[in-house]
Amino acid sequence: MAKKIRTQLSKKKVGQIPGSVIYTGVKSNQKLFIEAFDYTKDHYEERELTNVEECFNFEEGSITWININGLNHVDAIEKIGEHYELHPLVREDIVNIAQRPKIDEYDDYLFVVLKMLYYDSNEKIVSEQVSFILGKEYVLTFQEAEGDVFDTVRDRIRQGKGRIRNMQADYLLYTLMDAVVDHYFTVIEILGDKIEDFETAIFSGKVDNDVSKNIQDLKREILKVRRAIFPLREVINRIEKNDTSLILKKTITYYRDIYDHLIQVTENIDIYREMIWSLMDMYMTTISNKMNEVMKVLTIMASIFIPLTFIAGIYGMNFEYIPELKYKYGYFVVWGVMITLFLGMIYYFRKKKWL
């Protein structure tokens, strides 16, 4: 099913003119939602916008954050792109949700793409693309659907906490990106708990029949996280090294803090990746050990009954002249020999700690 969806999404872009604004996602029924925060050091204004034209009515001198949810509304995104003079390729990339995390530099703005990760109600990792446009006094964010990790940023603007209302738009971009990166730690922590639960279950032998499938799902999750996070280090590096006037030198230090967090996250990903690869080996080793225990018991049982079967086979032959055949207590003697052999072998196996 997932392969079929990916094939359908790729076909949407095949043969199209570069710069064509074509939504490649699957959430075609998502309603358009636009919210705006306009603030200065002394005041702020928060509004839910009812139409695209309201995005263009903010005065100069304040910092404006406009958050647009609903990438399927390509007409609205086209209007916003025309007003802010976004390059056609930027508009195309905004609605193409298969973008790799990246940064593109233009004369009057920066275009940044990254992946927002979170767990859905089915405990599956969702990777949602978020696009940022950083201008001189504004930041635009484009999301595929409602729900994000920016609530702490909203609260800081409302309550005037920290430096955010004393800083420029580049600091706002930093806080938004930092919120996304901080949420990576939550995702990584949940992944770590899953891996530890698998290890405990495998060592204790309390695993389901579909444990191999679950391990494969866990591998896919860690690979999805890795693809979303690793390219972001390059984005932060380019932000630190560029000479654009949109990012002030005093803000670069904060972006370095994001880079430090990314290093920590990627180190954890590498560790968890190795642990996941070893989970299947651990599971197969456990299965082999169980099989060896079963084979050991069966081998011991066979070893015990081999001499008993030999004795029973000899005296079960239909020869008339068997020396002990006419002996009065022959039956009981044979039973005694067989029981003695049985107990002797049990004692020997226990002494060797095979039982």
Side-chain angles (χ1 to χ4, degrees):
M1 182 65 181
K3 183 178 180 181
K4 182 179 180 181
I5 291 175
R6 288 195 298 268
T7 303
Q8 291 174 347
L9 296 184
S10 63
K11 287 182 178 179
K12 291 183 179 181
K13 302 297 293 181
V14 174
Q16 297 295 329
I17 299 173
S20 300
V21 182
I22 300 175
Y23 174 57
T24 60
V26 294
K27 299 179 181 179
S28 58
N29 297 324
Q30 178 65 37
K31 69 178 183 178
L32 180 66
F33 174 79
I34 305 176
E35 62 176 340
F37 287 83
D38 188 64
Y39 61 88
T40 62
K41 178 180 180 180
D42 300 320
H43 79 281
Y44 91 97
E45 180 183 4
E46 177 182 355
R47 285 190 288 167
E48 181 179 335
L49 308 184
T50 57
N51 56 68
V52 175
E53 286 71 20
E54 294 184 48
C55 298
F56 316 145
N57 298 328
F58 295 94
E59 299 180 359
E60 296 183 0
S62 60
I63 304 301
T64 304
W65 170 30
I66 301 176
N67 180 44
I68 301 98
N69 296 335
L71 299 183
N72 53 310
H73 297 270
V74 294
D75 293 337
I77 293 173
E78 281 275 34
K79 290 181 181 179
I80 294 173
E82 291 174 1
H83 175 78
Y84 287 96
E85 299 180 352
L86 303 182
H87 194 280
L89 292 179
V90 172
R91 304 177 204 176
E92 177 186 6
D93 290 345
I94 288 174
V95 295
N96 181 10
I97 64 169
Q99 291 295 316
R100 183 176 182 267
K102 65 174 185 176
I103 178 172
D104 292 333
E105 303 173 26
Y106 294 87
D107 293 336
D108 300 324
Y109 60 90
L110 295 180
F111 174 54
V112 180
V113 177
L114 51 75
K115 300 294 184 179
M116 181 170 59
L117 302 176
Y118 58 90
Y119 277 91
D120 61 12
S121 57
N122 298 321
E123 295 187 355
K124 299 294 183 181
I125 288 183
V126 177
S127 177
E128 181 181 339
Q129 178 171 302
V130 183
S131 302
F132 300 87
I133 302 293
L134 170 65
K136 184 178 180 181
E137 293 182 338
Y138 66 88
V139 173
L140 308 179
T141 54
F142 298 88
Q143 303 181 53
E144 188 175 8
E146 291 187 45
D148 52 42
V149 297
F150 301 142
D151 286 340
T152 56
V153 179
R154 295 183 179 96
D155 290 337
R156 288 162 65 182
I157 294 175
R158 291 171 184 142
Q159 301 173 18
K161 290 183 177 179
R163 304 177 179 87
I164 190 165
R165 284 184 30 190
N166 297 318
M167 305 289 279
Q168 298 301 311
D170 58 339
Y171 186 83
L172 173 60
L173 176 63
Y174 152 73
T175 57
L176 295 172
M177 294 179 64
D178 185 59
V180 174
V181 173
D182 283 345
H183 199 71
Y184 291 161
F185 285 97
T186 302
V187 174
I188 291 299
E189 183 178 354
I190 295 175
L191 272 176
D193 292 340
K194 284 186 176 183
I195 294 171
E196 290 179 2
D197 291 341
F198 269 114
E199 284 185 336
T200 302
I202 290 173
F203 275 121
S204 63
K206 300 177 181 179
V207 293
D208 300 327
N209 293 330
D210 57 350
V211 63
S212 58
K213 177 182 178 298
N214 293 334
I215 293 176
Q216 290 297 330
D217 291 341
L218 204 56
K219 284 183 181 180
R220 283 191 288 269
E221 285 188 3
I222 199 70
L223 288 176
K224 180 183 289 187
V225 172
R226 192 174 188 274
R227 284 195 298 267
I229 295 177
F230 269 62
L232 194 52
R233 296 184 300 178
E234 180 184 344
V235 173
I236 303 301
N237 270 330
R238 288 187 58 186
I239 289 177
E240 291 184 24
K241 295 176 181 178
N242 72 54
D243 297 326
T244 178
S245 60
L246 294 172
I247 298 181
L248 304 179
K249 290 184 178 180
K250 64 180 180 180
T251 314
I252 294 295
T253 303
Y254 297 105
Y255 285 97
R256 289 179 185 147
D257 182 63
I258 294 181
Y259 187 82
D260 292 339
H261 290 171
L262 287 173
I263 293 297
Q264 184 177 350
V265 171
T266 52
E267 286 177 352
N268 289 335
I269 290 175
D270 288 336
I271 293 172
Y272 291 154
R273 190 184 181 197
E274 293 297 326
M275 293 174 67
I276 290 173
W277 284 110
S278 66
L279 279 178
M280 185 62 75
D281 293 336
M282 291 168 53
Y283 174 64
M284 296 307 297
T285 300
T286 303
I287 295 297
S288 298
N289 290 338
K290 288 183 178 180
M291 182 65 69
N292 290 337
E293 290 293 327
V294 173
M295 293 303 297
K296 182 174 70 174
V297 172
L298 294 177
T299 302
I300 291 174
M301 292 178 63
S303 300
I304 290 174
F305 280 95
I306 284 174
L308 306 184
T309 304
F310 175 75
I311 294 174
I314 289 178
Y315 288 99
M317 291 187 298
N318 295 321
F319 292 110
E320 182 177 356
Y321 298 104
I322 297 178
E324 296 85 1
L325 192 61
K326 302 295 183 179
Y327 183 58
K328 180 178 180 180
Y329 300 105
Y331 173 77
F332 302 102
V333 171
V334 170
W335 264 108
V337 172
M338 294 172 69
I339 292 174
T340 301
L341 281 172
F342 175 78
L343 295 177
M345 295 183 73
I346 291 292
Y347 172 77
Y348 177 77
F349 291 146
R350 285 190 175 277
K351 187 176 181 181
K352 290 290 186 178
K353 297 183 179 180
W354 295 348
L355 280 177

